Amino acid sequence: MAGFGHTTRKHPRSRGRAWSRSGPDRASLGIIGLICAIAGFFILQIVLGPVAVVCGWLAMGRRWTGTQSMPALVAVVLGAIDTLLAIVWLASAAGPSAGGMF
């Protein structure tokens, strides 16, 4: 009988697949982050930049040491540049002419 917490299989078939209990596949996250970073240069920088950084960071395994996939590293760098450019653009839009005397 397989009830009351006793399973018939010790290792389910879903282990190791893309969206298993361990989370999404790291290669997929790196590619998603790279796509968000590239799209962030053209539209929605303030949204897609941080998304690219987070996806790239998770694809790298939340650490800088060891072997990393190139799309994940590029996603982190380009996402940071996207975010920085968006912050500079917002700061310049709300510059001294917004409510100043001159």
Side-chain angles (χ1 to χ4, degrees), residues 74-96:
V74 172
V76 170
V77 171
L78 289 180
I81 291 171
D82 280 347
T83 306
L84 185 66
L85 287 175
I87 290 172
V88 167
W89 181 77
L90 286 173
S92 68

Side-chain angles (χ1 to χ4, degrees), residues 43-95:
I43 55 170
L44 297 172
Q45 284 181 336
I46 197 68
V47 175
L48 293 178
V51 169
V53 170
V54 169
C55 286
W57 180 255
L58 290 175
M60 287 175 23
R62 294 178 282 186
R63 61 182 181 273
W64 288 105
T65 59
T67 60
Q68 296 122 1
S69 67
M70 190 56 69
L73 186 61
V74 172
V76 170
V77 171
L78 289 180
I81 291 171
D82 280 347
T83 306
L84 185 66
L85 287 175
I87 290 172
V88 167
W89 181 77
L90 286 173
S92 68

Side-chain angles (χ1 to χ4, degrees), residues 24-33 59 69 71-72:
D25 187 21
R26 288 185 181 172
S28 298
L29 272 177
I31 293 170
I32 290 169
S69 67

Side-chain angles (χ1 to χ4, degrees), residues 1-35:
M1 193 169 194
F4 301 111
H6 301 290
T7 60
T8 57
R9 287 184 286 186
K10 295 293 180 185
H11 303 289
R13 292 183 185 175
S14 64
R15 178 175 285 175
R17 291 193 179 167
W19 295 98
S20 64
R21 291 182 191 176
S22 62
D25 187 21
R26 288 185 181 172
S28 298
L29 272 177
I31 293 170
I32 290 169
L34 183 62
I35 291 170

